[in-house]
PDB file of all heavy atoms in Angstrom:
ATOM      1  N   TYR A 329     114.581 116.165 122.048  1.00 97.00           N
ATOM      2  CA  TYR A 329     115.353 115.163 122.787  1.00 97.00           C
ATOM      3  C   TYR A 329     114.874 115.103 124.233  1.00 97.00           C
ATOM      4  O   TYR A 329     114.673 116.136 124.876  1.00 97.00           O
ATOM      5  CB  TYR A 329     116.850 115.495 122.732  1.00 97.00           C
ATOM      6  CG  TYR A 329     117.412 115.391 121.335  1.00 97.00           C
ATOM      7  CD1 TYR A 329     117.840 116.522 120.646  1.00 97.00           C
ATOM      8  CD2 TYR A 329     117.486 114.168 120.690  1.00 97.00           C
ATOM      9  CE1 TYR A 329     118.344 116.433 119.353  1.00 97.00           C
ATOM     10  CE2 TYR A 329     117.988 114.059 119.404  1.00 97.00           C
ATOM     11  CZ  TYR A 329     118.416 115.193 118.748  1.00 97.00           C
ATOM     12  OH  TYR A 329     118.902 115.099 117.470  1.00 97.00           O
ATOM     13  N   TRP A 330     114.700 113.893 124.702  1.00 97.00           N
ATOM     14  CA  TRP A 330     114.188 113.618 126.050  1.00 97.00           C
ATOM     15  C   TRP A 330     115.026 114.341 127.113  1.00 97.00           C
ATOM     16  O   TRP A 330     116.241 114.132 127.179  1.00 97.00           O
ATOM     17  CB  TRP A 330     114.244 112.102 126.260  1.00 97.00           C
ATOM     18  CG  TRP A 330     113.895 111.593 127.613  1.00 97.00           C
ATOM     19  CD1 TRP A 330     114.773 111.155 128.571  1.00 97.00           C
ATOM     20  CD2 TRP A 330     112.582 111.432 128.157  1.00 97.00           C
ATOM     21  NE1 TRP A 330     114.080 110.733 129.663  1.00 97.00           N
ATOM     22  CE2 TRP A 330     112.731 110.889 129.444  1.00 97.00           C
ATOM     23  CE3 TRP A 330     111.292 111.694 127.674  1.00 97.00           C
ATOM     24  CZ2 TRP A 330     111.656 110.590 130.264  1.00 97.00           C
ATOM     25  CZ3 TRP A 330     110.217 111.409 128.492  1.00 97.00           C
ATOM     26  CH2 TRP A 330     110.392 110.866 129.763  1.00 97.00           C
ATOM     27  N   ARG A 331     114.359 115.182 127.877  1.00 95.00           N
ATOM     28  CA  ARG A 331     114.986 115.889 128.990  1.00 95.00           C
ATOM     29  C   ARG A 331     116.231 116.674 128.589  1.00 95.00           C
ATOM     30  O   ARG A 331     117.192 116.797 129.371  1.00 95.00           O
ATOM     31  CB  ARG A 331     115.323 114.911 130.123  1.00 95.00           C
ATOM     32  CG  ARG A 331     114.068 114.365 130.770  1.00 95.00           C
ATOM     33  CD  ARG A 331     114.354 113.419 131.904  1.00 95.00           C
ATOM     34  NE  ARG A 331     113.086 112.997 132.515  1.00 95.00           N
ATOM     35  CZ  ARG A 331     112.964 111.968 133.333  1.00 95.00           C
ATOM     36  NH1 ARG A 331     114.004 111.240 133.658  1.00 95.00           N
ATOM     37  NH2 ARG A 331     111.791 111.656 133.835  1.00 95.00           N
ATOM     38  N   MET A 332     116.250 117.176 127.356  1.00 95.00           N
ATOM     39  CA  MET A 332     117.369 118.010 126.910  1.00 95.00           C
ATOM     40  C   MET A 332     116.818 119.229 126.160  1.00 95.00           C
ATOM     41  O   MET A 332     117.003 119.344 124.938  1.00 95.00           O
ATOM     42  CB  MET A 332     118.287 117.226 125.958  1.00 95.00           C
ATOM     43  CG  MET A 332     119.104 116.137 126.606  1.00 95.00           C
ATOM     44  SD  MET A 332     120.275 115.461 125.399  1.00 95.00           S
ATOM     45  CE  MET A 332     121.137 114.282 126.403  1.00 95.00           C
ATOM     46  N   PRO A 333     116.134 120.122 126.849  1.00 96.00           N
ATOM     47  CA  PRO A 333     115.513 121.250 126.139  1.00 96.00           C
ATOM     48  C   PRO A 333     116.522 122.158 125.432  1.00 96.00           C
ATOM     49  O   PRO A 333     116.249 122.664 124.338  1.00 96.00           O
ATOM     50  CB  PRO A 333     114.757 122.000 127.250  1.00 96.00           C
ATOM     51  CG  PRO A 333     115.288 121.474 128.541  1.00 96.00           C
ATOM     52  CD  PRO A 333     115.837 120.108 128.284  1.00 96.00           C
ATOM     53  N   GLU A 334     117.718 122.323 126.014  1.00 95.00           N
ATOM     54  CA  GLU A 334     118.698 123.228 125.369  1.00 95.00           C
ATOM     55  C   GLU A 334     119.194 122.604 124.070  1.00 95.00           C
ATOM     56  O   GLU A 334     119.321 123.266 123.050  1.00 95.00           O
ATOM     57  CB  GLU A 334     119.915 123.517 126.262  1.00 95.00           C
ATOM     58  CG  GLU A 334     119.612 124.241 127.557  1.00 95.00           C
ATOM     59  CD  GLU A 334     119.160 123.296 128.658  1.00 95.00           C
ATOM     60  OE1 GLU A 334     119.411 122.072 128.516  1.00 95.00           O
ATOM     61  OE2 GLU A 334     118.543 123.764 129.638  1.00 95.00           O
ATOM     62  N   LYS A 335     119.501 121.315 124.139  1.00 93.00           N
ATOM     63  CA  LYS A 335     119.991 120.602 122.951  1.00 93.00           C
ATOM     64  C   LYS A 335     118.916 120.642 121.854  1.00 93.00           C
ATOM     65  O   LYS A 335     119.204 120.863 120.682  1.00 93.00           O
ATOM     66  CB  LYS A 335     120.293 119.142 123.343  1.00 93.00           C
ATOM     67  CG  LYS A 335     121.068 118.366 122.330  1.00 93.00           C
ATOM     68  CD  LYS A 335     122.543 118.694 122.395  1.00 93.00           C
ATOM     69  CE  LYS A 335     123.160 118.437 121.041  1.00 93.00           C
ATOM     70  NZ  LYS A 335     124.398 119.157 120.811  1.00 93.00           N
ATOM     71  N   THR A 336     117.669 120.428 122.264  1.00 96.00           N
ATOM     72  CA  THR A 336     116.558 120.465 121.310  1.00 96.00           C
ATOM     73  C   THR A 336     116.485 121.844 120.664  1.00 96.00           C
ATOM     74  O   THR A 336     116.386 121.955 119.431  1.00 96.00           O
ATOM     75  CB  THR A 336     115.231 120.151 122.031  1.00 96.00           C
ATOM     76  OG1 THR A 336     115.340 118.871 122.642  1.00 96.00           O
ATOM     77  CG2 THR A 336     114.055 120.145 121.061  1.00 96.00           C
ATOM     78  N   ALA A 337     116.557 122.890 121.490  1.00 97.00           N
ATOM     79  CA  ALA A 337     116.438 124.263 120.962  1.00 97.00           C
ATOM     80  C   ALA A 337     117.554 124.545 119.962  1.00 97.00           C
ATOM     81  O   ALA A 337     117.331 125.165 118.921  1.00 97.00           O
ATOM     82  CB  ALA A 337     116.477 125.263 122.108  1.00 97.00           C
ATOM     83  N   GLU A 338     118.758 124.034 120.239  1.00 96.00           N
ATOM     84  CA  GLU A 338     119.904 124.270 119.343  1.00 96.00           C
ATOM     85  C   GLU A 338     119.705 123.635 117.972  1.00 96.00           C
ATOM     86  O   GLU A 338     120.260 124.089 116.990  1.00 96.00           O
ATOM     87  CB  GLU A 338     121.158 123.574 119.909  1.00 96.00           C
ATOM     88  CG  GLU A 338     121.992 124.377 120.850  1.00 96.00           C
ATOM     89  CD  GLU A 338     123.040 123.482 121.516  1.00 96.00           C
ATOM     90  OE1 GLU A 338     123.497 122.488 120.905  1.00 96.00           O
ATOM     91  OE2 GLU A 338     123.370 123.780 122.686  1.00 96.00           O
ATOM     92  N   GLU A 339     118.956 122.537 117.934  1.00 96.00           N
ATOM     93  CA  GLU A 339     118.892 121.779 116.681  1.00 96.00           C
ATOM     94  C   GLU A 339     117.638 122.045 115.861  1.00 96.00           C
ATOM     95  O   GLU A 339     117.385 121.371 114.879  1.00 96.00           O
ATOM     96  CB  GLU A 339     119.099 120.283 116.967  1.00 96.00           C
ATOM     97  CG  GLU A 339     120.456 120.115 117.653  1.00 96.00           C
ATOM     98  CD  GLU A 339     121.074 118.757 117.562  1.00 96.00           C
ATOM     99  OE1 GLU A 339     120.573 117.898 116.831  1.00 96.00           O
ATOM    100  OE2 GLU A 339     122.103 118.563 118.250  1.00 96.00           O
ATOM    101  N   PHE A 340     116.840 123.021 116.304  1.00 98.00           N
ATOM    102  CA  PHE A 340     115.695 123.472 115.504  1.00 98.00           C
ATOM    103  C   PHE A 340     115.883 124.945 115.165  1.00 98.00           C
ATOM    104  O   PHE A 340     116.400 125.717 115.975  1.00 98.00           O
ATOM    105  CB  PHE A 340     114.381 123.294 116.281  1.00 98.00           C
ATOM    106  CG  PHE A 340     113.843 121.893 116.258  1.00 98.00           C
ATOM    107  CD1 PHE A 340     114.239 120.964 117.203  1.00 98.00           C
ATOM    108  CD2 PHE A 340     112.937 121.496 115.274  1.00 98.00           C
ATOM    109  CE1 PHE A 340     113.743 119.654 117.182  1.00 98.00           C
ATOM    110  CE2 PHE A 340     112.431 120.193 115.244  1.00 98.00           C
ATOM    111  CZ  PHE A 340     112.830 119.277 116.198  1.00 98.00           C
ATOM    112  N   THR A 341     115.453 125.339 113.960  1.00 98.00           N
ATOM    113  CA  THR A 341     115.503 126.756 113.600  1.00 98.00           C
ATOM    114  C   THR A 341     114.291 127.465 114.215  1.00 98.00           C
ATOM    115  O   THR A 341     113.357 126.811 114.686  1.00 98.00           O
ATOM    116  CB  THR A 341     115.431 126.925 112.068  1.00 98.00           C
ATOM    117  OG1 THR A 341     114.150 126.429 111.630  1.00 98.00           O
ATOM    118  CG2 THR A 341     116.539 126.157 111.362  1.00 98.00           C
ATOM    119  N   ALA A 342     114.313 128.790 114.137  1.00 97.00           N
ATOM    120  CA  ALA A 342     113.216 129.563 114.734  1.00 97.00           C
ATOM    121  C   ALA A 342     111.882 129.197 114.084  1.00 97.00           C
ATOM    122  O   ALA A 342     110.836 129.232 114.734  1.00 97.00           O
ATOM    123  CB  ALA A 342     113.494 131.049 114.586  1.00 97.00           C
ATOM    124  N   ASP A 343     111.903 128.844 112.791  1.00 98.00           N
ATOM    125  CA  ASP A 343     110.637 128.517 112.125  1.00 98.00           C
ATOM    126  C   ASP A 343     110.345 127.010 112.126  1.00 98.00           C
ATOM    127  O   ASP A 343     109.563 126.509 111.308  1.00 98.00           O
ATOM    128  CB  ASP A 343     110.567 129.106 110.710  1.00 98.00           C
ATOM    129  CG  ASP A 343     111.728 128.672 109.827  1.00 98.00           C
ATOM    130  OD1 ASP A 343     112.683 128.046 110.340  1.00 98.00           O
ATOM    131  OD2 ASP A 343     111.694 128.956 108.615  1.00 98.00           O
ATOM    132  N   GLY A 344     110.994 126.295 113.048  1.00 97.00           N
ATOM    133  CA  GLY A 344     110.564 124.916 113.304  1.00 97.00           C
ATOM    134  C   GLY A 344     111.157 123.838 112.411  1.00 97.00           C
ATOM    135  O   GLY A 344     110.652 122.721 112.370  1.00 97.00           O
TER     136      GLY A 344
END
Side-chain angles (χ1 to χ4, degrees):
Y329 294 112
W330 174 257
R331 292 181 177 165
M332 289 187 178
E334 297 83 18
K335 193 79 206 158
T336 302
E338 271 170 30
E339 302 202 9
F340 280 88
T341 64
D343 56 351

